[in-house]
Amino acid sequence: MTNPDPDSDPNPKPDPKPDPNPDPDRNPKPDPNSNLKPPKPPENDLRITHAHGDHVTITDPTTGVDLFSYVYRPEAAWEAPKPYLHPVRTLANAIVTDYRPNDHRWHKGLQMTASHLSGQNLWGGNTYIHGKGYLELPERVGSMAHVAFDEITTEGTGTRAVLAERLTWHPYTGELWAEEERRIEVHDVDPEAGSWALTWTSAVTNRRDEPLRFGSPTTAGRELAGYTGLFWRGPRAFREGRVLGPDPDAEGPGLMGQQAPWLAYSGEHDGADGHATLVFEHAPENDHTGSRGNHPAHWFVRNEPFAAVAPSLAFFDELELLPGDTLTRRYRVVVADGAWEREEIAKYLEEHPW
């Protein structure tokens, strides 16, 4: 004779049936706008790691390389706090961005900026004043603040990662000047070809009662210094790098202030052998020439004394954004191992249409 289990029920009741009409207040659905925690991806999907309140990292599962970290924690006020991508890496694990170099502490990887915005500086550091040069004017240095992520996920077969974020833009005194919806997508990761790409979309809505005026040091009077908007700072090793555009008769620093659908920068690494190429491209709807009515864009590019590229949206003339209106720009950045030639770049872009 076996001893009965003192904790067992001699007359067990059947499991209750599920409630066909559950009370939604007792079983609330998760808030999609709460701190988003990315779902665990299948083994071959791009991996997303979110350090809440600090940064999001995208990792290629095949190579194990962290393609970039998107850092959204606020940093020093003098540097015009705003989110940025750093470090950005090739699939061979070589870093192709710089962070807080001693010549410009506010240069941080790849970031959206506004060097001259209605008298404020959302670029960082000294402000250019015509006839006086660059002055230390902390009361003009503003910020772009992270509000929330609406989406942190992979799409399709896991070959595309998406960060969708809301931000606010502020002058030094803190008022709300603009709201931005930002979307960064990672796609076309190809370990065999040694390349991957990201698409950056920013939609900025003016929340003031008067126009927002986007400008640059050139619109303020300094020649060939039209930097503003999306801006990349390359590593020190990329000094004297090669600059290419689609025109075979034009390359190098002479492309400063020129118009073209894309611009590429190749540099040689320190530490690791080999080169890398970054290709910056306008989306068709940017209308970079202004032929369809958009404000024209021009390239800001330097390979001395440092490597830098920006598809400036207000190089020579100010762009005016009326109250309630939205300015949208979309760009693609291709990150590739090797020194790509013009023909390779053209072929890649043809094979990867928008």
Side-chain angles (χ1 to χ4, degrees):
M1 181 176 178
T2 59
N3 292 323
D5 181 352
D7 294 325
S8 66
D9 185 347
N11 298 297
K13 296 178 182 178
D15 292 336
K17 294 182 179 180
D19 185 351
N21 299 295
D23 181 356
D25 294 329
R26 284 192 297 127
N27 300 284
K29 294 182 179 180
D31 180 1
N33 294 316
S34 63
N35 285 334
L36 294 175
K37 190 173 184 180
K40 187 175 181 181
E43 186 175 340
N44 293 324
D45 282 10
L46 290 168
R47 295 200 296 268
I48 303 174
T49 305
H50 188 182
H52 290 273
D54 196 279
H55 67 273
V56 179
T57 299
I58 308 295
T59 304
D60 170 51
T62 302
T63 61
V65 170
D66 293 338
L67 300 178
F68 64 74
S69 286
Y70 182 72
V71 182
Y72 62 92
R73 67 173 182 271
E75 296 188 353
W78 174 243
E79 297 166 10
K82 50 193 171 295
Y84 57 88
L85 296 180
H86 177 80
V88 177
R89 293 182 172 92
T90 72
L91 286 168
N93 204 29
I95 295 175
V96 293
T97 49
D98 206 352
Y99 172 75
R100 297 193 75 244
N102 59 20
D103 51 77
H104 294 79
R105 295 297 188 194
W106 44 93
H107 287 188
K108 299 176 182 180
L110 180 69
Q111 58 183 340
M112 180 57 66
T113 72
S115 62
H116 287 237
L117 183 70
S118 294
Q120 287 283 299
N121 167 1
L122 276 65
W123 169 269
N126 295 337
T127 300
Y128 180 77
I129 304 296
H130 186 55
K132 297 181 180 180
Y134 285 88
L135 301 180
E136 187 174 329
L137 301 172
E139 69 277 9
R140 293 198 182 194
V141 180
S143 63
M144 300 179 188
H146 167 81
V147 175
F149 287 109
D150 291 327
E151 188 177 357
I152 302 179
T153 189
T154 56
E155 290 185 346
T157 59
T159 57
R160 178 180 289 261
V162 177
L163 307 181
E165 180 188 26
R166 283 176 283 126
L167 306 95
T168 51
W169 293 26
H170 307 271
Y172 174 80
T173 48
E175 300 96 326
L176 175 64
W177 272 18
E179 293 178 320
E180 180 189 350
E181 293 184 1
R182 181 175 297 180
R183 186 177 179 89
I184 298 173
E185 302 172 70
V186 179
H187 52 93
D188 295 314
V189 181
D190 188 344
E192 186 174 340
S195 64
W196 63 277
L198 69 86
T199 300
W200 181 304
T201 306
S202 284
V204 181
T205 302
N206 181 4
R207 295 305 183 199
R208 301 181 78 195
D209 294 329
E210 57 186 283
L212 275 175
R213 300 187 313 278
F214 291 78
S216 68
T218 294
T219 67
R222 184 186 173 198
E223 290 188 4
L224 295 180
Y227 53 82
T228 196
L230 189 67
F231 179 81
W232 167 77
R233 171 68 189 253
R236 289 192 180 277
F238 279 28
R239 287 181 60 182
E240 301 181 355
R242 188 181 185 194
V243 181
L244 295 175
D247 184 350
D249 296 324
E251 65 176 74
L255 288 169
M256 173 75 86
Q258 300 301 307
Q259 292 185 308
W262 60 264
L263 184 143
Y265 194 110
S266 297
E268 186 173 9
H269 305 298
D270 278 341
D273 293 333
H275 295 71
T277 300
L278 286 87
V279 183
F280 304 85
E281 185 188 21
H282 285 283
E285 67 270 18
N286 287 3
D287 181 25
H288 70 277
T289 65
S291 62
R292 299 193 303 275
N294 274 0
H295 193 86
H298 300 80
W299 290 103
F300 174 87
V301 57
R302 284 185 178 151
N303 63 0
E304 278 290 351
F306 51 78
V309 173
S312 176
L313 49 82
F315 195 112
F316 294 107
D317 300 293
E318 287 189 342
L319 184 161
E320 185 178 79
L321 185 65
L322 297 177
D325 282 1
T326 299
L327 172 69
T328 302
R329 292 292 184 270
R330 186 164 63 118
Y331 308 98
R332 173 163 52 179
V333 181
V334 182
V335 181
D337 288 300
W340 282 13
E341 295 294 334
R342 184 176 287 105
E343 294 74 21
E344 294 175 86
I345 297 167
K347 181 180 179 182
Y348 177 95
L349 297 178
E350 182 180 1
E351 293 176 348
H352 299 81
W354 285 92

